[in-house]
Amino acid sequence: MHESEIIQDLVKGIMEKLSSKSSSINKNLIGINSMVAELIPSYVGFGNNIYMMGICGMGGLGKTTLADAIYNMYSDHFEGSSFIANVRERSENGKLHELQQQLLDEILGGSNRKIYNVQGGVNKIKRSGLRHKKVLLVLDDVNHKDQLENLVGEHAWFGLGSWIIVTTRDEHVLVQHGVLKIYKPNGLDDDDASTLFCSKAFKKKQPEEGYMQLSQKVVEYASGLPLALVTLGSFLVGRTVEEWQSALDSFKNIKGNIHDILKISYDGLEEMWKEIFLDIACFFRGKEKDVVIEILENCGFDARIGVSVLEERSLLTVDDDECFEMHDLLSEMGQKIIRFESGGNLGKQSRLWLVKDLRHVLENDMATEAIQAIVLQFEEIGFKFEDVPELLSSKMSNLRLMIIGEVHNLDDQGAVLNNQRQLFVPNQLRHLRWDYCPLKCLSSSSQRKELVQLDLKYSRIEYLWEGVMRSDNLKFIDLHDSKNLIRTPDFSGVPMLEGLDLFRCVSLEEIHPSIGQLSKLRYLNLERCESLTDLPCMSAVMQSLRYLKLCGCSKISSFPKFTGIMKSLSRLNLAMTAIKKVEPSSIECLPALTVLYLSYCTNLKWLPARVKLSIWSQPLSQWLPYDERHSPKEFTILFHFLGYRYRDSFVVKPFMELLPKEKRMDL
């Protein structure tokens, strides 16, 4: 038997074994099976060669879908596999080294040492066990030869029989890297295109009566592009014949540009849904759905119904990890809309998402009231905010959202900068997050603010604001790891505050007494505030407070003072504090208390007599008067009371180690 016949028999056997899996995976991927059959084994094979191939074509052709189908169908045939998505976007965001880390972790397991830079990643890949493994690797949406050189530099990096599949819009990138096998999808044929379109427009394979000719015209217009067929079908679903005809008439003014085709669906959205689409297109691709929805709701949008509408229109999807996904072309269309509306003037763009664009606006004093949102998601070396004028100004009067995440403000020695300027807060700003904010405080103002969430973790804030800031909408303040924070502000102007996180604010010395009047506060985290010596009285007004966390406040020596009944406080964490006594009068104010942490309270000498408690996960409704005749079983209740968690297991500290012998205790 000739070698070619052996290979054909081998391929036939593998294809038969995978047929049921292929049918299951691709039952909703119209036209994919025929593409896979055309591509394999003509472009990759099952011998001992290392196969590197490209899938090349314009956006919207289904390159990613095809690569994903191959990956799902054949990954079990390999010793390891990895699908690295959005290479272009992630590389442009300075995260190419993270892609190298993903490649090693997914194929070799998560025990690899962390990669900090691209060259270090190249060295690790070359020295890794990849060269001994038969792997399936997909690099999706590559646009530069450097990405290939640093991820799949040489065939010798991988074991015999490996498949490396690259999707790109730029054939030259493949040629530069020596990729000889290049598959160019032609789009769907007429039958598959019609089936895909009808599955979206009519939820079945054939058009409804009276829509046959209209459907044929739309399919013809979409030119076999799967993304265009899906988007247009989702736009036209449920519409009348007259509305279909009107849409077709509008197509005549469009010369086949894919962005213009996709914009038809965008133009059919209500104004709020358009705003949500543009926010996600510019800022939130790949971000967790629930987190983004909370941000959008903070901005005043009906985000859940809006997201649902975008999904129905095929403008947005949610992946298995509950993160937002949006096709590159849809994201590009959204950004193109933003730039078109501003007439090319960055200061008039409604949204800014690139560091270089924001810097240009600031350095040239171009800010206007048109700017609604600023979101920077990545670190850019060399950009220091102290080098530019005031970040926010009164000119940005309609700014509703600002997020500066993972943009570290570092000096030459790598320390976070400390700038003595104040941060101006526009009145309409609703969601503010700035990690590592180097500024001293927020500017004071007597005008009412619209703030809903204030997130300044890792900041160099010394105090939040002077006097009273009035914002009836403010629900959450997060200042954790703000090591310069000395005192909290007056809270009397923020009566709706629900959460306050001051974790590891190691310089914090003073909590303003107005905190005791926050009736909506549910969560107060003061863990490891090592300079804090005392707390204001917690009054019965704080009827919503459920969790008070003081563990690691090593200078707190007195049990918190409660005046009146705290009807909701169920968890109180006083571990690693210097308290000496659990006050009976305070415990009696806590009828809902179910968990009290007192581990490592080495100064603790007195516990209250005859106190009814529910500890940990099960209620312990027992009275425990001290008696030397108590059995060890009864003492385990006390040990649970004083116990601490270590790696999710209870480790019990010896009783006498916690409570000195010479002190008679009544329990």
Side-chain angles (χ1 to χ4, degrees), residues 374-497:
I374 299 170
V375 178
L376 309 178
Q377 298 277 14
F378 57 92
E379 178 176 351
E380 180 163 313
I381 297 172
F383 180 33
K384 299 175 182 177
F385 284 100
E386 76 278 10
D387 292 340
V388 299
E390 195 76 30
L391 178 59
L392 299 179
S393 70
S394 57
K395 292 181 179 179
M396 300 184 191
S397 57
N398 291 316
L399 188 73
R400 56 176 168 80
L401 169 64
M402 186 176 87
I403 297 176
I404 301 179
E406 302 177 41
V407 181
H408 299 189
N409 300 280
L410 306 178
D411 61 20
D412 295 335
Q413 285 71 46
V416 178
L417 292 158
N418 186 10
N419 193 300
Q420 291 300 301
R421 289 187 294 179
Q422 298 183 350
L423 177 63
F424 175 79
V425 179
N427 295 340
Q428 299 302 313
L429 186 62
R430 300 175 68 91
H431 186 103
L432 170 59
R433 172 188 160 197
W434 187 350
D435 297 349
Y436 301 94
C437 174
L439 306 182
K440 181 179 181 179
C441 64
L442 307 185
S443 60
S444 301
S445 172
S446 59
Q447 294 181 314
R448 195 170 296 277
K449 306 292 185 182
E450 295 295 327
L451 265 178
V452 177
Q453 184 159 330
L454 179 58
D455 184 347
L456 297 172
K457 52 182 172 285
Y458 308 109
S459 75
R460 288 299 178 260
I461 293 284
E462 295 179 13
Y463 56 92
L464 207 45
W465 59 73
E466 289 281 15
V468 176
M469 185 186 79
R470 302 197 178 279
S471 178
D472 292 337
N473 299 321
L474 187 58
K475 293 182 178 181
F476 304 103
I477 297 177
D478 187 350
L479 291 168
H480 80 252
D481 284 287
S482 293
K483 300 185 184 298
N484 290 1
L485 185 70
I486 299 171
R487 65 180 189 273
T488 69
D490 186 331
F491 295 105
S492 59
V494 290
M496 305 304 289
L497 193 66

Side-chain angles (χ1 to χ4, degrees), residues 122-276:
V122 169
N123 294 333
K124 282 186 170 62
I125 292 172
K126 290 167 70 174
R127 295 196 302 265
S128 72
L130 285 178
R131 62 185 181 276
H132 303 301
K133 281 185 175 288
K134 177 182 176 181
V135 305
L136 171 56
L137 174 61
V138 176
L139 303 180
D140 180 47
D141 193 21
V142 168
N143 74 328
H144 200 282
K145 66 174 183 176
D146 288 350
Q147 296 154 6
L148 293 177
E149 290 172 355
N150 291 307
L151 290 167
V152 292
E154 301 174 12
H155 282 54
W157 292 7
F158 305 95
L160 297 179
S162 292
W163 290 5
I164 299 164
I165 299 173
V166 181
T167 75
T168 182
R169 299 184 202 175
D170 188 352
E171 183 177 1
H172 187 60
V173 171
L174 299 173
V175 173
Q176 283 180 304
H177 195 64
V179 179
L180 302 179
K181 296 280 189 176
I182 301 175
Y183 178 72
K184 298 179 180 179
N186 293 316
L188 300 180
D189 60 32
D190 290 345
D191 290 340
D192 285 338
S194 178
T195 301
L196 178 59
F197 173 75
C198 291
S199 72
K200 292 297 180 180
F202 306 107
K203 308 302 181 185
K204 58 182 183 180
K205 294 183 178 181
Q206 298 294 330
E208 297 280 3
E209 185 178 352
Y211 286 86
M212 177 64 77
Q213 289 186 337
L214 292 169
S215 296
Q216 289 174 348
K217 289 181 180 179
V218 176
V219 169
E220 180 182 347
Y221 175 73
S223 302
L225 290 176
L227 179 62
L229 291 161
V230 167
T231 305
L232 292 176
S234 300
F235 168 67
L236 291 168
V237 64
R239 298 186 185 274
T240 65
V241 169
E242 290 76 16
E243 289 172 320
W244 275 59
Q245 188 60 58
S246 176
L248 281 167
D249 291 341
S250 71
F251 294 171
K252 296 176 183 177
N253 299 319
I254 299 174
K255 294 182 169 60
N257 182 289
I258 183 64
H259 287 150
D260 293 333
I261 295 173
L262 299 177
K263 190 172 180 291
I264 294 168
S265 187
Y266 168 83
D267 288 338
L269 297 171
E270 294 180 14
E271 287 304 314
M272 184 178 288
W273 312 151
K274 288 181 179 179
E275 296 296 324
I276 292 173

